[in-house]
Amino acid sequence: MKWWLTDKATVKKQTPEKEQRQHSYMQLVRLYHADLYRYSCWLCRSADIAEDLVQDTYLRAWKSIDLLQNEASAKAWLFTILRNENARRFERKQFQYQEVEQDLLLDEHQVTPEQLYSQQQLLKQIESLEPEYSEPLILQIIGGFSGDEIAQLLSLNLNTVNTRLFRARKQLRDLLSHDSVREQKNG
Amino acid sequence: MDELEVRRRLLTDPYHLTAEQQQQLQQDPDSQQFHQDVLELDQHIKQVLSPPVPKTLENALLLQQHKHKQQQQKRFYQNLIALAASVAFLAGFALNWSFFLYGSQSLGENSLAHVYHEEPYMHHRMAALSLSDVNSKLADFDAELSSSDYTVVFANYCNFRGTRSLHLVVETEQGLMTVFVVPKENSLSFEEQFHDEKYQGRSIATHKAILVMVSDKAETLQQGEQQLLKNLQFKA
């Protein structure tokens, strides 16, 4: 066979693969972009940076989409990329951790002022947790990951993750009941 | 499983319950309530940490992949163009180089090359050509041979580096002599005298054309030249 014919044949063979890749990418965007954005907001505390971070994450995911072998692990894979990208962001510029723009984490549009107040209280409590406790909890609640997946994402063993999840919820409950007791007293 | 352990497990992961846990919950309303409380708090946390997702985000993500792909394609074509440019440059360079190598060839070198090229066939074509045959070819160069003291055994057009010339072989008393009639406009550098191990040659520039004579003997050349100049006339 002539070289130009073989060349054409391989090009034709590649096309369905390309389509497949594009299709998987679109699936990844549709299914996971909202959860990734929420997690990104939690990590960055800024809507603009969070959006950039999600875009960087998906660009990196597209470049290495061939490495994704299992659709079932796609979400954890994307979260790992996002965490890495976030770490890179800290490397690039000595980003100061700030408690700014907390409010952006709240969905302010459909709540009453009372609800908003209690939500803000809750957010404060979550942020008052040690990061090592809040981190697995957020991954479980927003990401919907299992203990094993969280262990893998955070490079911890399962027992440690379970302990931290337990302590996170326990501390949070204690803080909230303490608050409500205080409020009752005040009231 | 005591109550503390039940609560501990529910606080660790309220979403993935084992069969044992589920059975426990069904039996114990308190634990059930506790499970509901945990889930409710999680729901609150989820609400608190769920800012509205920008509507443009999904499209931006799809678009960015498209752009990246286009950029890669563009880069591919740019590389292709760069490659083509390199090839064109090299080709130009090679062409120049070949002009440099062959372009400097002189009248003498070219004449000798023609002589050597015809040499193997020379001795088989010893039939004399008629004067009119030779003159019909010479006419193209505005030249004419009057009755000659020697016979022409070969007459044909040849190419002197792009210039159409006439290749003649004449038989003199001393031996064979090759004569080239080359028009004045040619791409070779003029050489009055030239030689190699076997042949020697002389060139004469007349007002119409250059006559190049090549022979293996000096005396043939000398006599042949005189006879040629005597017999060959150029039209004014």
mmCIF file of all heavy atoms in Angstrom, chain A residues 22 25 30 33 37-38 51 55 59 62-63 104-105 138 140-141 162 165-166 169 172-173 176, chain B residues 8 11-14 34 41-42 44-45 48-51 54 57-58 60-61 64-65 68-69:
data_model
loop_
_atom_site.group_PDB
_atom_site.id
_atom_site.type_symbol
_atom_site.label_atom_id
_atom_site.label_comp_id
_atom_site.label_asym_id
_atom_site.label_seq_id
_atom_site.Cartn_x
_atom_site.Cartn_y
_atom_site.Cartn_z
ATOM 1 N N GLN A 22 -14.388 13.892 22.605
ATOM 2 C CA GLN A 22 -15.194 15.105 22.722
ATOM 3 C C GLN A 22 -16.481 14.810 23.488
ATOM 4 O O GLN A 22 -16.908 15.586 24.340
ATOM 5 C CB GLN A 22 -15.530 15.608 21.316
ATOM 6 C CG GLN A 22 -16.322 16.885 21.323
ATOM 7 C CD GLN A 22 -15.714 17.901 20.378
ATOM 8 O OE1 GLN A 22 -14.841 17.566 19.582
ATOM 9 N NE2 GLN A 22 -16.139 19.126 20.450
ATOM 10 N N TYR A 25 -15.832 14.492 27.130
ATOM 11 C CA TYR A 25 -15.592 15.806 27.731
ATOM 12 C C TYR A 25 -16.923 16.508 28.011
ATOM 13 O O TYR A 25 -17.142 17.056 29.085
ATOM 14 C CB TYR A 25 -14.721 16.660 26.817
ATOM 15 C CG TYR A 25 -14.458 18.046 27.371
ATOM 16 C CD1 TYR A 25 -13.456 18.261 28.319
ATOM 17 C CD2 TYR A 25 -15.214 19.139 26.962
ATOM 18 C CE1 TYR A 25 -13.220 19.504 28.841
ATOM 19 C CE2 TYR A 25 -14.994 20.394 27.485
ATOM 20 C CZ TYR A 25 -13.993 20.576 28.421
ATOM 21 O OH TYR A 25 -13.760 21.820 28.942
ATOM 22 N N ARG A 30 -21.242 18.457 31.664
ATOM 23 C CA ARG A 30 -22.667 18.465 32.035
ATOM 24 C C ARG A 30 -22.883 17.925 33.429
ATOM 25 O O ARG A 30 -23.612 18.498 34.230
ATOM 26 C CB ARG A 30 -23.454 17.605 31.041
ATOM 27 C CG ARG A 30 -23.697 18.361 29.778
ATOM 28 C CD ARG A 30 -24.934 17.872 29.054
ATOM 29 N NE ARG A 30 -24.901 18.489 27.740
ATOM 30 C CZ ARG A 30 -24.514 17.842 26.660
ATOM 31 N NH1 ARG A 30 -24.185 16.580 26.705
ATOM 32 N NH2 ARG A 30 -24.469 18.466 25.513
ATOM 33 N N HIS A 33 -19.933 19.900 36.443
ATOM 34 C CA HIS A 33 -19.431 21.271 36.571
ATOM 35 C C HIS A 33 -20.040 22.003 37.766
ATOM 36 O O HIS A 33 -19.374 22.788 38.430
ATOM 37 C CB HIS A 33 -19.615 22.058 35.266
ATOM 38 C CG HIS A 33 -20.986 22.636 35.084
ATOM 39 N ND1 HIS A 33 -22.026 21.919 34.555
ATOM 40 C CD2 HIS A 33 -21.486 23.868 35.370
ATOM 41 C CE1 HIS A 33 -23.106 22.677 34.522
ATOM 42 N NE2 HIS A 33 -22.808 23.868 35.008
ATOM 43 N N TYR A 37 -17.917 23.503 40.775
ATOM 44 C CA TYR A 37 -17.964 24.944 41.043
ATOM 45 C C TYR A 37 -18.222 25.211 42.524
ATOM 46 O O TYR A 37 -17.583 26.070 43.127
ATOM 47 C CB TYR A 37 -19.052 25.592 40.178
ATOM 48 C CG TYR A 37 -19.232 27.056 40.451
ATOM 49 C CD1 TYR A 37 -18.270 27.980 40.032
ATOM 50 C CD2 TYR A 37 -20.340 27.531 41.151
ATOM 51 C CE1 TYR A 37 -18.419 29.331 40.292
ATOM 52 C CE2 TYR A 37 -20.495 28.879 41.414
ATOM 53 C CZ TYR A 37 -19.535 29.768 40.982
ATOM 54 O OH TYR A 37 -19.670 31.105 41.253
ATOM 55 N N ARG A 38 -19.143 24.436 43.117
ATOM 56 C CA ARG A 38 -19.450 24.622 44.541
ATOM 57 C C ARG A 38 -18.218 24.332 45.393
ATOM 58 O O ARG A 38 -17.883 25.097 46.301
ATOM 59 C CB ARG A 38 -20.593 23.698 44.949
ATOM 60 C CG ARG A 38 -21.906 24.181 44.399
ATOM 61 C CD ARG A 38 -23.055 23.299 44.834
ATOM 62 N NE ARG A 38 -24.214 23.655 44.018
ATOM 63 C CZ ARG A 38 -24.837 22.806 43.221
ATOM 64 N NH1 ARG A 38 -24.453 21.553 43.143
ATOM 65 N NH2 ARG A 38 -25.849 23.213 42.493
ATOM 66 N N GLU A 51 -14.511 30.326 39.450
ATOM 67 C CA GLU A 51 -14.852 30.059 38.054
ATOM 68 C C GLU A 51 -13.588 29.788 37.229
ATOM 69 O O GLU A 51 -13.538 28.848 36.438
ATOM 70 C CB GLU A 51 -15.624 31.257 37.485
ATOM 71 C CG GLU A 51 -16.585 30.846 36.397
ATOM 72 C CD GLU A 51 -17.503 31.976 35.973
ATOM 73 O OE1 GLU A 51 -17.868 32.787 36.844
ATOM 74 O OE2 GLU A 51 -17.845 32.039 34.791
ATOM 75 N N GLN A 55 -12.435 26.396 35.214
ATOM 76 C CA GLN A 55 -12.024 26.402 33.802
ATOM 77 C C GLN A 55 -10.645 25.765 33.627
ATOM 78 O O GLN A 55 -10.435 24.966 32.716
ATOM 79 C CB GLN A 55 -12.016 27.832 33.272
ATOM 80 C CG GLN A 55 -13.418 28.415 33.202
ATOM 81 C CD GLN A 55 -13.544 29.565 32.233
ATOM 82 O OE1 GLN A 55 -12.544 30.070 31.731
ATOM 83 N NE2 GLN A 55 -14.753 29.976 31.964
ATOM 84 N N LEU A 59 -9.751 22.423 31.479
ATOM 85 C CA LEU A 59 -8.760 22.475 30.390
ATOM 86 C C LEU A 59 -7.717 21.370 30.583
ATOM 87 O O LEU A 59 -7.347 20.658 29.645
ATOM 88 C CB LEU A 59 -8.077 23.846 30.365
ATOM 89 C CG LEU A 59 -7.248 24.134 29.114
ATOM 90 C CD1 LEU A 59 -8.114 24.099 27.872
ATOM 91 C CD2 LEU A 59 -6.547 25.471 29.227
ATOM 92 N N TRP A 62 -9.230 18.059 29.781
ATOM 93 C CA TRP A 62 -9.333 17.812 28.333
ATOM 94 C C TRP A 62 -7.989 17.367 27.778
ATOM 95 O O TRP A 62 -7.906 16.450 26.971
ATOM 96 C CB TRP A 62 -9.815 19.074 27.621
ATOM 97 C CG TRP A 62 -9.597 19.043 26.144
ATOM 98 C CD1 TRP A 62 -8.733 19.805 25.414
ATOM 99 C CD2 TRP A 62 -10.253 18.190 25.198
ATOM 100 N NE1 TRP A 62 -8.812 19.477 24.097
ATOM 101 C CE2 TRP A 62 -9.730 18.492 23.926
ATOM 102 C CE3 TRP A 62 -11.226 17.192 25.312
ATOM 103 C CZ2 TRP A 62 -10.144 17.836 22.772
ATOM 104 C CZ3 TRP A 62 -11.643 16.543 24.151
ATOM 105 C CH2 TRP A 62 -11.111 16.873 22.910
ATOM 106 N N LYS A 63 -6.918 18.026 28.254
ATOM 107 C CA LYS A 63 -5.591 17.684 27.735
ATOM 108 C C LYS A 63 -5.213 16.242 28.074
ATOM 109 O O LYS A 63 -4.491 15.605 27.322
ATOM 110 C CB LYS A 63 -4.542 18.640 28.313
ATOM 111 C CG LYS A 63 -4.547 20.015 27.651
ATOM 112 C CD LYS A 63 -3.513 20.912 28.285
ATOM 113 C CE LYS A 63 -3.623 22.337 27.791
ATOM 114 N NZ LYS A 63 -2.859 23.253 28.640
ATOM 115 N N LEU A 104 -20.770 34.993 49.439
ATOM 116 C CA LEU A 104 -21.028 34.428 48.120
ATOM 117 C C LEU A 104 -21.342 32.942 48.217
ATOM 118 O O LEU A 104 -21.907 32.349 47.315
ATOM 119 C CB LEU A 104 -19.829 34.648 47.203
ATOM 120 C CG LEU A 104 -18.642 33.699 47.379
ATOM 121 C CD1 LEU A 104 -18.734 32.563 46.376
ATOM 122 C CD2 LEU A 104 -17.372 34.458 47.184
ATOM 123 N N LEU A 105 -20.983 32.336 49.340
ATOM 124 C CA LEU A 105 -21.273 30.917 49.503
ATOM 125 C C LEU A 105 -22.757 30.666 49.738
ATOM 126 O O LEU A 105 -23.239 29.568 49.605
ATOM 127 C CB LEU A 105 -20.469 30.339 50.659
ATOM 128 C CG LEU A 105 -18.954 30.313 50.442
ATOM 129 C CD1 LEU A 105 -18.244 29.946 51.728
ATOM 130 C CD2 LEU A 105 -18.593 29.334 49.345
ATOM 131 N N ILE A 138 -16.824 18.287 53.704
ATOM 132 C CA ILE A 138 -17.294 18.973 52.498
ATOM 133 C C ILE A 138 -17.278 18.015 51.305
ATOM 134 O O ILE A 138 -18.204 17.988 50.489
ATOM 135 C CB ILE A 138 -16.403 20.202 52.195
ATOM 136 C CG1 ILE A 138 -16.412 21.188 53.354
ATOM 137 C CG2 ILE A 138 -16.830 20.878 50.907
ATOM 138 C CD1 ILE A 138 -17.763 21.746 53.688
ATOM 139 N N GLN A 140 -17.646 14.864 51.382
ATOM 140 C CA GLN A 140 -18.733 13.892 51.496
ATOM 141 C C GLN A 140 -20.080 14.525 51.145
ATOM 142 O O GLN A 140 -20.879 13.937 50.429
ATOM 143 C CB GLN A 140 -18.791 13.345 52.921
ATOM 144 C CG GLN A 140 -19.701 12.124 53.044
ATOM 145 C CD GLN A 140 -19.700 11.557 54.448
ATOM 146 O OE1 GLN A 140 -19.961 12.274 55.408
ATOM 147 N NE2 GLN A 140 -19.383 10.280 54.562
ATOM 148 N N ILE A 141 -20.285 15.755 51.613
ATOM 149 C CA ILE A 141 -21.597 16.375 51.411
ATOM 150 C C ILE A 141 -21.749 16.947 50.004
ATOM 151 O O ILE A 141 -22.752 16.703 49.327
ATOM 152 C CB ILE A 141 -21.838 17.473 52.474
ATOM 153 C CG1 ILE A 141 -21.930 16.813 53.858
ATOM 154 C CG2 ILE A 141 -23.115 18.243 52.180
ATOM 155 C CD1 ILE A 141 -22.049 17.790 55.000
ATOM 156 N N ASN A 162 -12.525 8.390 58.456
ATOM 157 C CA ASN A 162 -13.738 8.117 59.237
ATOM 158 C C ASN A 162 -13.716 8.859 60.565
ATOM 159 O O ASN A 162 -14.728 9.444 60.975
ATOM 160 C CB ASN A 162 -13.879 6.611 59.471
ATOM 161 C CG ASN A 162 -14.431 5.925 58.232
ATOM 162 O OD1 ASN A 162 -15.003 6.584 57.361
ATOM 163 N ND2 ASN A 162 -14.249 4.627 58.137
ATOM 164 N N LEU A 165 -14.359 12.523 59.905
ATOM 165 C CA LEU A 165 -15.766 12.782 59.556
ATOM 166 C C LEU A 165 -16.627 12.790 60.814
ATOM 167 O O LEU A 165 -17.468 13.677 61.016
ATOM 168 C CB LEU A 165 -16.269 11.700 58.584
ATOM 169 C CG LEU A 165 -15.857 11.854 57.124
ATOM 170 C CD1 LEU A 165 -16.212 10.595 56.344
ATOM 171 C CD2 LEU A 165 -16.549 13.065 56.502
ATOM 172 N N PHE A 166 -16.370 11.809 61.672
ATOM 173 C CA PHE A 166 -17.131 11.713 62.918
ATOM 174 C C PHE A 166 -16.908 12.971 63.758
ATOM 175 O O PHE A 166 -17.862 13.607 64.222
ATOM 176 C CB PHE A 166 -16.704 10.449 63.667
ATOM 177 C CG PHE A 166 -17.143 10.426 65.094
ATOM 178 C CD1 PHE A 166 -18.489 10.271 65.414
ATOM 179 C CD2 PHE A 166 -16.222 10.578 66.128
ATOM 180 C CE1 PHE A 166 -18.897 10.247 66.734
ATOM 181 C CE2 PHE A 166 -16.635 10.562 67.454
ATOM 182 C CZ PHE A 166 -17.975 10.400 67.762
ATOM 183 N N ARG A 169 -18.619 16.197 62.339
ATOM 184 C CA ARG A 169 -20.066 16.292 62.584
ATOM 185 C C ARG A 169 -20.364 16.516 64.070
ATOM 186 O O ARG A 169 -21.253 17.279 64.430
ATOM 187 C CB ARG A 169 -20.760 15.021 62.099
ATOM 188 C CG ARG A 169 -20.968 15.030 60.598
ATOM 189 C CD ARG A 169 -22.183 14.202 60.207
ATOM 190 N NE ARG A 169 -22.379 14.240 58.765
ATOM 191 C CZ ARG A 169 -21.700 13.485 57.910
ATOM 192 N NH1 ARG A 169 -20.798 12.626 58.349
ATOM 193 N NH2 ARG A 169 -21.930 13.586 56.617
ATOM 194 N N LEU A 172 -19.568 20.077 65.058
ATOM 195 C CA LEU A 172 -20.556 20.980 64.465
ATOM 196 C C LEU A 172 -21.860 20.937 65.270
ATOM 197 O O LEU A 172 -22.463 21.977 65.566
ATOM 198 C CB LEU A 172 -20.808 20.553 63.020
ATOM 199 C CG LEU A 172 -21.166 21.637 62.025
ATOM 200 C CD1 LEU A 172 -20.177 22.795 62.106
ATOM 201 C CD2 LEU A 172 -21.166 21.055 60.622
ATOM 202 N N ARG A 173 -22.272 19.723 65.613
ATOM 203 C CA ARG A 173 -23.507 19.578 66.394
ATOM 204 C C ARG A 173 -23.373 20.240 67.760
ATOM 205 O O ARG A 173 -24.285 20.912 68.231
ATOM 206 C CB ARG A 173 -23.846 18.100 66.554
ATOM 207 C CG ARG A 173 -24.359 17.455 65.269
ATOM 208 C CD ARG A 173 -24.471 15.961 65.428
ATOM 209 N NE ARG A 173 -25.523 15.603 66.381
ATOM 210 C CZ ARG A 173 -26.807 15.480 66.042
ATOM 211 N NH1 ARG A 173 -27.179 15.666 64.799
ATOM 212 N NH2 ARG A 173 -27.696 15.165 66.941
ATOM 213 N N LEU A 176 -23.538 24.004 67.386
ATOM 214 C CA LEU A 176 -24.886 24.477 67.069
ATOM 215 C C LEU A 176 -25.800 24.386 68.281
ATOM 216 O O LEU A 176 -26.568 25.303 68.538
ATOM 217 C CB LEU A 176 -25.467 23.662 65.890
ATOM 218 C CG LEU A 176 -24.841 23.979 64.534
ATOM 219 C CD1 LEU A 176 -25.273 22.950 63.492
ATOM 220 C CD2 LEU A 176 -25.218 25.378 64.078
ATOM 221 N N ARG B 8 -22.000 6.811 66.430
ATOM 222 C CA ARG B 8 -20.668 7.079 65.878
ATOM 223 C C ARG B 8 -20.645 6.775 64.370
ATOM 224 O O ARG B 8 -20.161 7.555 63.559
ATOM 225 C CB ARG B 8 -19.652 6.209 66.617
ATOM 226 C CG ARG B 8 -18.231 6.534 66.240
ATOM 227 C CD ARG B 8 -17.252 5.576 66.890
ATOM 228 N NE ARG B 8 -15.929 5.844 66.367
ATOM 229 C CZ ARG B 8 -15.150 6.809 66.830
ATOM 230 N NH1 ARG B 8 -15.535 7.554 67.830
ATOM 231 N NH2 ARG B 8 -13.976 7.033 66.275
ATOM 232 N N LEU B 11 -22.703 9.288 62.361
ATOM 233 C CA LEU B 11 -22.018 10.579 62.224
ATOM 234 C C LEU B 11 -20.872 10.492 61.221
ATOM 235 O O LEU B 11 -20.491 11.479 60.601
ATOM 236 C CB LEU B 11 -21.485 11.046 63.584
ATOM 237 C CG LEU B 11 -22.526 11.618 64.546
ATOM 238 C CD1 LEU B 11 -21.901 11.895 65.902
ATOM 239 C CD2 LEU B 11 -23.151 12.889 63.991
ATOM 240 N N THR B 12 -20.304 9.289 61.110
ATOM 241 C CA THR B 12 -19.196 9.115 60.164
ATOM 242 C C THR B 12 -19.707 9.126 58.720
ATOM 243 O O THR B 12 -19.178 9.825 57.863
ATOM 244 C CB THR B 12 -18.463 7.794 60.445
ATOM 245 O OG1 THR B 12 -17.989 7.825 61.794
ATOM 246 C CG2 THR B 12 -17.298 7.614 59.496
ATOM 247 N N ASP B 13 -20.724 8.330 58.457
ATOM 248 C CA ASP B 13 -21.251 8.276 57.087
ATOM 249 C C ASP B 13 -22.730 7.924 57.099
ATOM 250 O O ASP B 13 -23.093 6.753 57.190
ATOM 251 C CB ASP B 13 -20.463 7.231 56.265
ATOM 252 C CG ASP B 13 -20.843 7.296 54.797
ATOM 253 O OD1 ASP B 13 -21.829 7.987 54.462
ATOM 254 O OD2 ASP B 13 -20.142 6.663 53.987
ATOM 255 N N PRO B 14 -23.587 8.927 57.007
ATOM 256 C CA PRO B 14 -25.030 8.629 57.047
ATOM 257 C C PRO B 14 -25.588 8.157 55.705
ATOM 258 O O PRO B 14 -26.784 7.883 55.613
ATOM 259 C CB PRO B 14 -25.638 9.982 57.445
ATOM 260 C CG PRO B 14 -24.670 10.996 56.947
ATOM 261 C CD PRO B 14 -23.314 10.360 56.973
ATOM 262 N N PHE B 34 -32.183 10.170 65.100
ATOM 263 C CA PHE B 34 -30.813 10.680 65.051
ATOM 264 C C PHE B 34 -30.301 10.714 63.604
ATOM 265 O O PHE B 34 -29.713 11.698 63.153
ATOM 266 C CB PHE B 34 -29.912 9.787 65.914
ATOM 267 C CG PHE B 34 -28.523 10.321 66.054
ATOM 268 C CD1 PHE B 34 -28.263 11.386 66.906
ATOM 269 C CD2 PHE B 34 -27.471 9.772 65.332
ATOM 270 C CE1 PHE B 34 -26.982 11.889 67.042
ATOM 271 C CE2 PHE B 34 -26.191 10.279 65.451
ATOM 272 C CZ PHE B 34 -25.945 11.340 66.317
ATOM 273 N N LEU B 41 -28.990 18.171 58.982
ATOM 274 C CA LEU B 41 -27.873 19.106 59.128
ATOM 275 C C LEU B 41 -27.024 19.122 57.858
ATOM 276 O O LEU B 41 -26.624 20.183 57.361
ATOM 277 C CB LEU B 41 -27.009 18.712 60.334
ATOM 278 C CG LEU B 41 -25.799 19.610 60.565
ATOM 279 C CD1 LEU B 41 -26.219 21.063 60.757
ATOM 280 C CD2 LEU B 41 -24.984 19.123 61.767
ATOM 281 N N ASP B 42 -26.766 17.932 57.304
ATOM 282 C CA ASP B 42 -26.006 17.841 56.051
ATOM 283 C C ASP B 42 -26.700 18.642 54.958
ATOM 284 O O ASP B 42 -26.058 19.354 54.179
ATOM 285 C CB ASP B 42 -25.881 16.384 55.606
ATOM 286 C CG ASP B 42 -24.675 15.713 56.252
ATOM 287 O OD1 ASP B 42 -24.167 16.269 57.247
ATOM 288 O OD2 ASP B 42 -24.252 14.650 55.760
ATOM 289 N N HIS B 44 -28.635 21.178 55.330
ATOM 290 C CA HIS B 44 -28.413 22.606 55.592
ATOM 291 C C HIS B 44 -27.033 23.040 55.113
ATOM 292 O O HIS B 44 -26.879 24.083 54.479
ATOM 293 C CB HIS B 44 -28.551 22.892 57.099
ATOM 294 C CG HIS B 44 -29.971 22.983 57.544
ATOM 295 N ND1 HIS B 44 -30.907 23.764 56.913
ATOM 296 C CD2 HIS B 44 -30.633 22.367 58.569
ATOM 297 C CE1 HIS B 44 -32.083 23.635 57.521
ATOM 298 N NE2 HIS B 44 -31.937 22.794 58.530
ATOM 299 N N ILE B 45 -26.049 22.214 55.460
ATOM 300 C CA ILE B 45 -24.667 22.548 55.056
ATOM 301 C C ILE B 45 -24.587 22.648 53.538
ATOM 302 O O ILE B 45 -23.997 23.571 52.974
ATOM 303 C CB ILE B 45 -23.678 21.482 55.574
ATOM 304 C CG1 ILE B 45 -23.649 21.499 57.105
ATOM 305 C CG2 ILE B 45 -22.283 21.730 55.016
ATOM 306 C CD1 ILE B 45 -22.831 20.383 57.723
ATOM 307 N N VAL B 48 -26.060 25.849 52.394
ATOM 308 C CA VAL B 48 -25.190 26.984 52.698
ATOM 309 C C VAL B 48 -24.029 27.064 51.703
ATOM 310 O O VAL B 48 -23.613 28.142 51.296
ATOM 311 C CB VAL B 48 -24.661 26.843 54.149
ATOM 312 C CG1 VAL B 48 -23.498 27.771 54.369
ATOM 313 C CG2 VAL B 48 -25.771 27.137 55.130
ATOM 314 N N LEU B 49 -23.517 25.900 51.319
ATOM 315 C CA LEU B 49 -22.350 25.876 50.431
ATOM 316 C C LEU B 49 -22.737 25.709 48.965
ATOM 317 O O LEU B 49 -21.955 25.215 48.166
ATOM 318 C CB LEU B 49 -21.416 24.739 50.847
ATOM 319 C CG LEU B 49 -20.844 24.846 52.261
ATOM 320 C CD1 LEU B 49 -19.915 23.671 52.527
ATOM 321 C CD2 LEU B 49 -20.111 26.149 52.474
ATOM 322 N N SER B 50 -23.974 26.106 48.636
ATOM 323 C CA SER B 50 -24.385 25.977 47.237
ATOM 324 C C SER B 50 -24.737 27.323 46.636
ATOM 325 O O SER B 50 -25.910 27.679 46.540
ATOM 326 C CB SER B 50 -25.585 25.034 47.127
ATOM 327 O OG SER B 50 -25.199 23.736 47.457
ATOM 328 N N PRO B 51 -23.724 28.084 46.268
ATOM 329 C CA PRO B 51 -24.016 29.340 45.588
ATOM 330 C C PRO B 51 -24.593 29.029 44.210
ATOM 331 O O PRO B 51 -24.357 27.946 43.684
ATOM 332 C CB PRO B 51 -22.652 30.003 45.473
ATOM 333 C CG PRO B 51 -21.693 28.874 45.452
ATOM 334 C CD PRO B 51 -22.298 27.777 46.278
ATOM 335 N N PRO B 54 -23.014 29.952 37.935
ATOM 336 C CA PRO B 54 -23.215 30.888 36.807
ATOM 337 C C PRO B 54 -23.750 30.149 35.587
ATOM 338 O O PRO B 54 -23.237 29.089 35.236
ATOM 339 C CB PRO B 54 -21.805 31.433 36.548
ATOM 340 C CG PRO B 54 -21.024 31.148 37.772
ATOM 341 C CD PRO B 54 -21.642 29.968 38.430
ATOM 342 N N LEU B 57 -21.306 29.291 32.797
ATOM 343 C CA LEU B 57 -20.130 28.451 33.058
ATOM 344 C C LEU B 57 -20.073 27.224 32.146
ATOM 345 O O LEU B 57 -19.032 26.937 31.547
ATOM 346 C CB LEU B 57 -20.114 28.021 34.528
ATOM 347 C CG LEU B 57 -18.904 27.182 34.950
ATOM 348 C CD1 LEU B 57 -17.611 27.942 34.746
ATOM 349 C CD2 LEU B 57 -19.020 26.752 36.408
ATOM 350 N N GLU B 58 -21.209 26.547 32.022
ATOM 351 C CA GLU B 58 -21.210 25.322 31.230
ATOM 352 C C GLU B 58 -20.777 25.603 29.784
ATOM 353 O O GLU B 58 -19.921 24.916 29.229
ATOM 354 C CB GLU B 58 -22.601 24.691 31.258
ATOM 355 C CG GLU B 58 -22.642 23.350 30.573
ATOM 356 C CD GLU B 58 -23.967 22.624 30.749
ATOM 357 O OE1 GLU B 58 -24.773 23.069 31.582
ATOM 358 O OE2 GLU B 58 -24.181 21.633 30.055
ATOM 359 N N ALA B 60 -19.096 28.156 28.721
ATOM 360 C CA ALA B 60 -17.700 28.606 28.693
ATOM 361 C C ALA B 60 -16.764 27.413 28.689
ATOM 362 O O ALA B 60 -15.754 27.403 27.977
ATOM 363 C CB ALA B 60 -17.422 29.495 29.902
ATOM 364 N N LEU B 61 -17.125 26.383 29.460
ATOM 365 C CA LEU B 61 -16.279 25.191 29.543
ATOM 366 C C LEU B 61 -16.269 24.436 28.217
ATOM 367 O O LEU B 61 -15.229 23.957 27.769
ATOM 368 C CB LEU B 61 -16.773 24.270 30.656
ATOM 369 C CG LEU B 61 -16.614 24.813 32.079
ATOM 370 C CD1 LEU B 61 -17.289 23.896 33.078
ATOM 371 C CD2 LEU B 61 -15.146 24.985 32.430
ATOM 372 N N GLN B 64 -14.273 26.547 25.670
ATOM 373 C CA GLN B 64 -12.819 26.608 25.881
ATOM 374 C C GLN B 64 -12.134 25.368 25.290
ATOM 375 O O GLN B 64 -11.044 25.456 24.737
ATOM 376 C CB GLN B 64 -12.529 26.766 27.372
ATOM 377 C CG GLN B 64 -11.896 25.568 28.045
ATOM 378 C CD GLN B 64 -11.648 25.811 29.514
ATOM 379 O OE1 GLN B 64 -11.402 26.937 29.929
ATOM 380 N NE2 GLN B 64 -11.720 24.768 30.297
ATOM 381 N N GLN B 65 -12.815 24.229 25.382
ATOM 382 C CA GLN B 65 -12.257 23.008 24.796
ATOM 383 C C GLN B 65 -12.193 23.150 23.283
ATOM 384 O O GLN B 65 -11.214 22.775 22.648
ATOM 385 C CB GLN B 65 -13.139 21.815 25.195
ATOM 386 C CG GLN B 65 -12.725 20.494 24.582
ATOM 387 C CD GLN B 65 -13.567 20.131 23.387
ATOM 388 O OE1 GLN B 65 -14.689 20.590 23.251
ATOM 389 N NE2 GLN B 65 -13.026 19.331 22.515
ATOM 390 N N HIS B 68 -9.376 25.420 22.360
ATOM 391 C CA HIS B 68 -8.090 24.749 22.542
ATOM 392 C C HIS B 68 -7.801 23.823 21.380
ATOM 393 O O HIS B 68 -6.686 23.763 20.865
ATOM 394 C CB HIS B 68 -8.108 23.975 23.857
ATOM 395 C CG HIS B 68 -6.820 23.289 24.155
ATOM 396 N ND1 HIS B 68 -6.665 21.938 24.050
ATOM 397 C CD2 HIS B 68 -5.613 23.784 24.540
ATOM 398 C CE1 HIS B 68 -5.427 21.622 24.360
ATOM 399 N NE2 HIS B 68 -4.770 22.728 24.664
ATOM 400 N N LYS B 69 -8.856 23.123 20.928
ATOM 401 C CA LYS B 69 -8.695 22.204 19.810
ATOM 402 C C LYS B 69 -8.306 22.963 18.549
ATOM 403 O O LYS B 69 -7.410 22.560 17.806
ATOM 404 C CB LYS B 69 -10.010 21.447 19.589
ATOM 405 C CG LYS B 69 -9.803 20.039 19.092
ATOM 406 C CD LYS B 69 -11.108 19.278 19.070
ATOM 407 C CE LYS B 69 -12.055 19.829 18.045
ATOM 408 N NZ LYS B 69 -13.310 19.066 17.956
#
